[in-house]
Amino acid sequence: MGTMYSSILPEHEEFISKQHIFFVGSAPLSEDGHVNISPKGHDVLRILSPTEVAYLDLTGSGNETSAHLLDNGRITFMFVAFQGAPMILRLYGKGRTLLPDTPEWEALEGRFDLLPGARQMIHAHIHAVKTSCGFSVPFFDYTGERVTLKKWAEQKGEQGLHAYRQQKNATSMDGILTSLGHSFKK
């Protein structure tokens, strides 16, 4: 069943800091909409307080999380121990997308290494933390970060990334407008 907490405890923060990957889950309110689960690598997550997290979101082939956050705000983060003692930790919250050149972005950007292709930040207020056993999760060895996305973003350049985001990141696969999509209309 797991154990529930109302905030991120120091031991949770220590566990999170050791993970090399986390997963983000979101879904639209529409029963026909697709649930999205997205893996996140690199050192992009920051715990801002016991009830607040943010991550630097890099340009990718989709932008489902941003669309879902505009639709209903629900977001879940999942961290899994692939090394050491077994554990699964989930953060449940309400999130929003922060775009570059906004006061919200500027207030947080100093906490991150701005990686090539950074398109937005996802910020969430956490209302529940749940830990569970993870006894069936296999062991995996971490051998390093992939550099493919960074190289791709550097090769695209700012103009190429802007055009790509307009084409691929303005709406979700269900046709829901994203924060970037709204910004392109201005």
Side-chain angles (χ1 to χ4, degrees):
M1 176 102 175
T3 305
M4 293 287 289
Y5 304 88
S6 60
S7 65
I8 301 166
L9 300 178
E11 58 265 35
H12 301 147
E13 185 169 357
E14 182 181 350
F15 173 76
I16 289 168
S17 73
K18 292 178 182 175
Q19 305 315 308
H20 298 287
I21 186 172
F22 64 98
F23 301 86
V24 176
S26 62
L29 286 178
S30 166
E31 67 182 44
D32 296 332
H34 292 84
V35 174
N36 185 64
I37 302 168
S38 183
K40 304 295 176 187
H42 301 291
D43 180 26
V44 296
L45 183 94
R46 299 294 179 269
I47 297 174
L48 306 174
S49 79
T51 57
E52 190 179 11
V53 300
Y55 72 87
L56 186 65
D57 189 52
L58 306 178
T59 302
S61 56
N63 200 4
E64 304 304 303
T65 303
S66 180
H68 297 160
L69 293 180
L70 279 176
D71 188 45
N72 60 64
R74 297 177 303 166
I75 190 166
T76 300
F77 299 83
M78 184 175 77
F79 304 86
V80 179
F82 294 111
Q83 299 172 335
M87 162 104 84
I88 298 171
L89 185 144
R90 292 178 182 89
L91 306 176
Y92 299 93
K94 289 286 189 174
R96 60 193 177 110
T97 303
L98 310 179
L99 296 178
D101 302 321
T102 63
E104 295 89 355
W105 173 282
E106 291 169 5
L108 290 177
E109 73 179 323
R111 305 214 36 185
F112 295 92
D113 294 328
L114 294 180
L115 300 172
R119 66 179 169 188
Q120 58 200 9
M121 289 179 204
I122 303 298
H123 176 269
H125 287 282
I126 304 304
H127 61 263
V129 176
K130 183 178 180 183
T131 59
S132 57
C133 68
F135 289 168
S136 69
V137 174
F139 288 106
F140 286 103
D141 290 328
Y142 175 74
T143 61
E145 298 288 344
R146 294 179 193 261
V147 297
T148 310
L149 188 62
K150 290 180 184 179
K151 287 181 177 181
W152 173 85
E154 288 168 345
Q155 289 174 347
K156 280 263 184 219
E158 282 307 312
Q159 287 183 336
L161 284 169
H162 182 77
Y164 182 87
R165 290 173 187 146
Q166 283 183 311
Q167 181 185 14
K168 302 275 189 178
N169 298 162
T171 60
S172 74
M173 65 188 288
D174 296 319
I176 303 168
L177 205 57
T178 68
S179 293
L180 283 172
H182 281 288
S183 73
F184 295 143
K185 288 184 170 194
K186 293 179 182 177

